[in-house]
Amino acid sequence: MEDEVSVDVLLKENRVFAPPKELIKNSNVKNWMNKHNIKTYDELLLKAKDIEWFWGEVSKDVVEWFKPYDKVLDWNLPWAKWFIGAKYNIVHDALDKHVENWRKNKIAYIFVGEPGDTRKLSFRDLYVEVNKLANALKGLGVRKGDKVGIYLPMIPELPISMLACAKIGAIHSVVFSGFSSKAFRERVNDAEAKVVITCDGFYRRGKIIHLKKQMDEALEWAPSVKSLIIYRRTGHEVQWNEARDHWWHEITAYQPNHCKTEVLDANDPLYLLYTSGTTGKPKGIIHAHGGYAVGTALTLKWVFDIKASDIWWCAADIGWVTGHSYIVYAPLILGATSIIYEGSPDYPKPDRWWSIIEKYGVTVFYTSPTAIRMHMRYGEGWAKRHDLNSIRLLGTVGEPINPEAWMWYYNNIGSERCQIMDTWWQTETGTFVIAPLPLISLKPGSVTKPLPGFEADVYNTKGEKVSQEGGDLIISKPWPAMLRGLYKNPKKYMNYYWNKYPNVYLAGDIARKDKDGYFWIQGRADDVLKVSGHRIGNSEVESALVSHKLVVEAVVIGKPHEVKGESIVAYVVLKEDVEASDNLRIELIEHVVKEIGKIVRPEELWFVKDVPKTRSGKIMRRVIRAVALNKSTGDISTLRNPEAVEEIRKAK
Ligand code: WTA
């Protein structure tokens, strides 16, 4: 009950949470400001408006080039090159430099398996594993610029695989292990991967997920793939293809502990990561070595204030950008110790996470609003059983956080002592863009202000800056970790992000700014859903539904959901003569899961005779959503089939 009162007070009084003085004084960002004779946060923002000066200056703190750059930025909209002329490889900063000093014996990853097994890998251990695998990849013919597909769960072999690729200049394309074999196949074929890496299986909610089996299905039609490396995690029996398959432990067994780190151009591609847009097909976002290294390391160092003594836990999956940037690359560059946990947050009991925090003394913890709401539902009793006093900072990402969840997190996990860093960013941005620094007061539900070195704003449809009324969130200057394009699709890159308003990047979110210049993210402006923080295109789910032989048409909308943020609601038109039934409903839901993965399981699926369309035949998702959520539909007289609106209304 106490919580409810505080949320009320908070909302009424517009309460702000000032950072503790100690946090400010000892913070990495303050330390940097002192060195540069910068007195205040506002002065820092002002100075950082000179982005070339700023990023050049901060890069000195986080990366070591093989050969220094000649120029910080070359901006030829929409193409950016950062740190031009520099020779570089991100693996030098993530690994090689650490084994040259005391850090070699520091723990890089504490791995906690779902069944309770644990492993600690020092930077030296990680270095050896990465080098062995890199040599094995070379042995399979992988060369600079080749693509390697990775389908692995949350085990240390996932970062090891990524780093092994990067080390030899290959481009990794990680696919979230919760995606289905079909989704993996689509991505691996688009990337034309030569080699793929997986494991026999992994543990999830006490069961084994048979990943190798899914991989075998995916590779039934994947002509570019010549070899598959399989790490043994669960030890269950798997099918074997002699011509293609190699056990990880066998192929790496006799490889040397050293492998040369390929000297690359700072702008050479590091990875592809597929993400959802408004079409049925995912887009391959390209990130490059140099700018990405500087951007991710600096933002983690400043926003979460990571120090040598911290135990950092970003509880995302490495299969998404959050894990790429803030479990793999940034913490390793900073030489931090991170937790990797394999399993479900509430298995075997809802306090699994809190017990890990207590056991390993996690100091900085970062998760999603969905996870917080799930734990809220279980009740604070589970957290109270554990000593969480090691935590000094908290964070969230992926979707807007409601003030109630914010307060619950603040009170119960942060013991009313810890600032909550609500970080706004995207697969495309590579790093946080709008997020608090330890210097700034927080308002629950706001992501505060653009970080130094980033310029973001809110535009109305005329392209004018607006505040309270809200509009499109845009980024008006290039930034080092920005995407370098869409794989195989330069035109779409331009059209999708740079065409709506001149000279600025369109984020695809709706936001507003308050009188203090604080940003409040309201959600996506386009047809992209955020279900449990996972990004899914409406049309991807629709394509999956219409790929079923009995379906003619399908429309998918997002509906507010207490825990997941949004849930998927599907309206399906069946072929003539096909009878709607509960069994068919289940079959279609399972079909979507099979096509894409469990994360997109529709919460509701309704059979309708028709869906509202314009005269030109375009499906009116906006109208459907309004009807489903009991909101005003506006004028529907211009629809080709206004009677279809009734169909949607009845389907509840
Ligand atoms: C949303 C995840 C509100 C937003 C890192 C964005 C957020 C999309 C926040 C990108 C936040 C991310 N508050 N919304 N703090 N962070 N989003 O590519 O809609 O999976 O456009 O990257 O997540 O999702 P993506």
Side-chain angles (χ1 to χ4, degrees):
M1 286 300 103
E2 225 175 79
D3 290 349
E4 276 173 34
V5 175
S6 53
V7 172
D8 255 10
V9 169
L10 162 99
L11 296 176
K12 260 195 222 121
E13 296 179 0
N14 226 345
R15 186 169 148 201
V16 297
F17 291 73
K21 288 211 173 62
E22 280 302 294
L23 174 68
I24 303 177
K25 197 172 102 208
N26 300 323
S27 66
N28 290 331
V29 58
K30 188 73 185 164
N31 187 4
W32 189 88
M33 286 161 67
N34 291 343
K35 268 200 276 178
H36 289 79
N37 209 12
I38 297 173
K39 298 276 178 310
T40 62
Y41 173 74
D42 287 337
E43 192 185 338
L44 172 64
L45 294 184
L46 203 64
K47 272 260 164 83
K49 278 189 180 289
D50 181 351
I51 54 171
E52 292 188 52
W53 170 81
F54 176 77
W55 288 109
E57 203 55 33
V58 292
S59 70
K60 294 179 194 160
D61 266 17
V62 284
V63 302
E64 295 177 357
W65 311 110
F66 295 138
K67 174 187 164 286
Y69 57 86
D70 307 312
K71 195 168 165 238
V72 174
L73 171 67
D74 203 344
W75 179 224
N76 184 10
L77 188 140
W79 308 105
K81 282 201 168 139
W82 282 88
F83 307 108
I84 301 116
K87 293 288 171 209
Y88 186 62
N89 188 313
I90 199 166
V91 179
H92 171 77
D93 277 308
L95 276 184
D96 301 353
K97 77 177 178 199
H98 301 308
V99 296
E100 300 297 321
N101 60 44
W102 64 271
R103 269 211 170 89
K104 67 170 180 259
N105 294 321
K106 191 182 172 190
I107 300 301
Y109 287 124
I110 300 171
F111 167 68
V112 181
E114 197 188 71
D117 55 322
T118 60
R119 261 162 85 194
K120 287 185 180 174
L121 284 100
S122 67
F123 278 91
R124 163 84 194 163
D125 296 336
L126 199 61
Y127 174 85
V128 169
E129 296 293 326
V130 167
N131 284 329
K132 281 174 171 284
L133 183 66
N135 284 322
L137 288 171
K138 277 187 171 173
L140 293 175
V142 178
R143 298 285 175 267
K144 181 183 164 192
D146 284 343
K147 266 76 69 185
V148 174
I150 304 177
Y151 197 28
L152 280 169
M154 286 291 286
I155 56 175
E157 283 62 32
L158 177 45
I160 290 168
S161 302
M162 294 160 73
L163 292 160
C165 292
K167 181 150 223 202
I168 59 174
I171 300 165
H172 60 73
S173 170
V174 177
V175 179
F176 172 53
S177 60
F179 273 129
S180 70
S181 49
K182 281 215 171 148
F184 180 79
R185 178 194 290 169
E186 184 180 6
R187 286 157 178 77
V188 106
N189 283 339
D190 189 75
E192 293 166 294
K194 198 167 180 177
V195 171
V196 287
I197 308 176
T198 192
C199 63
D200 49 358
F202 63 98
Y203 298 96
R204 195 78 195 173
R205 310 195 74 79
K207 293 207 187 89
I208 290 180
I209 308 289
H210 295 257
L211 203 60
K212 164 74 161 76
K213 189 163 167 272
Q214 284 177 220
M215 179 62 103
D216 286 337
E217 283 164 21
L219 298 188
E220 273 167 21
W221 197 85
S224 62
V225 176
K226 301 290 173 262
S227 318
L228 166 62
I229 300 176
I230 305 109
Y231 177 77
R232 185 178 272 158
R233 163 74 184 130
T234 48
H236 69 273
E237 221 173 289
V238 292
Q239 280 206 357
W240 205 253
N241 177 336
E242 278 302 331
R244 184 196 68 192
D245 296 354
H246 306 267
W247 280 115
W248 177 304
H249 57 269
E250 287 176 5
I251 202 167
T252 57
Y254 301 104
Q255 298 292 352
N257 285 351
H258 293 281
C259 170
K260 187 177 165 286
T261 298
E262 191 78 26
V263 175
L264 304 171
D265 185 286
N267 289 286
D268 275 343
L270 168 62
Y271 68 75
L272 291 181
L273 183 57
Y274 286 84
T275 191
S276 299
T278 49
T279 63
K281 228 172 116 59
K283 316 176 275 190
I285 305 289
I286 307 168
H287 282 293
H289 278 252
Y292 182 77
V294 173
T296 53
L298 192 271
T299 50
L300 183 63
K301 185 170 181 177
W302 280 17
V303 173
F304 285 106
D305 196 38
I306 296 296
K307 311 261 171 49
S309 55
D310 277 312
I311 309 283
W312 160 246
W313 188 7
C314 163
D317 195 291
I318 296 174
W320 305 98
V321 75
T322 307
H324 276 59
S325 295
Y326 297 110
I327 302 177
V328 183
Y329 290 109
L332 291 177
I333 294 172
L334 299 180
T337 299
S338 303
I339 304 276
I340 294 184
Y341 169 56
E342 177 185 38
S344 180
D346 55 350
Y347 188 84
K349 299 230 172 75
D351 61 345
R352 185 67 190 267
W353 273 7
W354 319 133
S355 73
I356 294 173
I357 293 179
E358 179 176 27
K359 178 160 180 196
Y360 295 103
V362 170
T363 56
V364 188
F365 180 65
Y366 183 42
T367 186
S368 67
T370 288
I372 297 165
R373 288 189 294 257
M374 185 187 85
H375 287 293
M376 222 171 135
R377 219 181 220 195
Y378 285 128
E380 54 271 21
W382 293 100
K384 292 226 158 69
R385 289 182 195 182
H386 298 277
D387 177 0
L388 304 182
N389 273 316
S390 56
I391 300 179
R392 65 180 193 89
L393 267 181
L394 294 169
T396 81
V397 61
E399 44 181 326
I401 185 163
N402 45 316
E404 285 75 11
W406 199 100
M407 283 311 299
W408 186 90
Y409 196 32
Y410 183 80
N411 290 334
N412 297 295
I413 308 305
S415 314
E416 300 169 47
R417 299 180 283 107
C418 307
Q419 293 295 89
I420 299 176
M421 306 317 208
D422 183 353
T423 59
W424 178 88
W425 60 296
Q426 309 177 298
T427 307
E428 291 86 341
T429 68
T431 54
F432 315 145
V433 173
I434 314 179
L437 285 173
L439 311 168
I440 187 174
S441 292
L442 307 176
K443 301 184 187 187
S446 165
V447 291
T448 73
K449 298 187 181 187
L451 288 165
F454 295 88
E455 301 275 326
D457 226 306
V458 180
Y459 276 12
N460 65 14
T461 46
K462 289 190 212 129
E464 299 156 346
K465 288 185 186 178
V466 288
S467 293
Q468 303 280 13
E469 58 266 48
D472 280 323
L473 181 63
I474 59 99
I475 306 178
S476 52
K477 281 188 187 167
W479 63 102
M482 66 192 282
L483 74 167
R484 303 311 177 88
L486 294 180
Y487 186 56
K488 292 183 181 163
N489 219 331
K491 239 200 197 142
K492 195 164 159 197
Y493 168 58
M494 179 70 196
N495 291 341
Y496 203 88
Y497 301 103
W498 300 95
N499 248 358
K500 183 156 179 188
Y501 306 109
N503 301 322
V504 303
Y505 168 89
L506 181 73
D509 279 36
I510 298 284
R512 67 178 176 82
K513 276 195 306 182
D514 69 15
K515 59 180 189 335
D516 301 321
Y518 276 52
F519 285 65
W520 300 76
I521 310 292
Q522 329 261 257
R524 295 287 306 192
D526 50 7
D527 288 320
V528 171
L529 301 163
K530 271 279 166 165
V531 180
S532 301
H534 299 317
R535 177 168 164 182
I536 299 153
N538 299 49
S539 48
E540 272 172 271
V541 185
E542 290 160 1
S543 309
L545 280 166
V546 294
S547 74
H548 190 280
K549 57 183 187 305
L550 302 181
V551 175
V552 180
E553 218 157 34
V555 188
V556 160
I557 59 155
K559 199 171 175 179
H561 186 280
E562 208 182 311
V563 176
K564 297 180 188 173
E566 267 186 310
S567 66
I568 295 176
V569 179
Y571 297 92
V572 171
V573 181
L574 294 171
K575 285 206 173 132
E576 243 177 290
D577 307 332
V578 177
E579 190 119 351
S581 68
D582 279 345
N583 279 345
L584 185 55
R585 174 176 287 127
I586 295 166
E587 184 179 325
L588 293 182
I589 290 175
E590 288 314 313
H591 179 74
V592 174
V593 170
K594 192 148 194 285
E595 288 289 305
I596 312 178
K598 283 202 183 87
I599 52 164
V600 299
R601 185 187 294 278
E603 183 98 0
E604 295 171 33
L605 189 146
W606 302 100
F607 296 113
V608 289
K609 290 206 186 66
D610 201 0
V611 290
K613 290 191 193 117
T614 59
R615 294 242 157 86
S616 59
K618 195 173 165 288
I619 293 177
M620 292 299 287
R621 275 202 205 98
R622 187 182 51 75
V623 172
I624 298 166
R625 195 163 186 275
V627 177
L629 304 183
N630 292 326
K631 293 195 174 143
S632 145
T633 53
D635 180 15
I636 53 167
S637 62
T638 55
L639 293 179
R640 178 206 284 178
N641 52 352
E643 66 287 353
V645 172
E646 236 359 82
E647 282 278 305
I648 304 288
R649 210 186 299 278
K650 279 195 292 191
K652 270 187 214 162

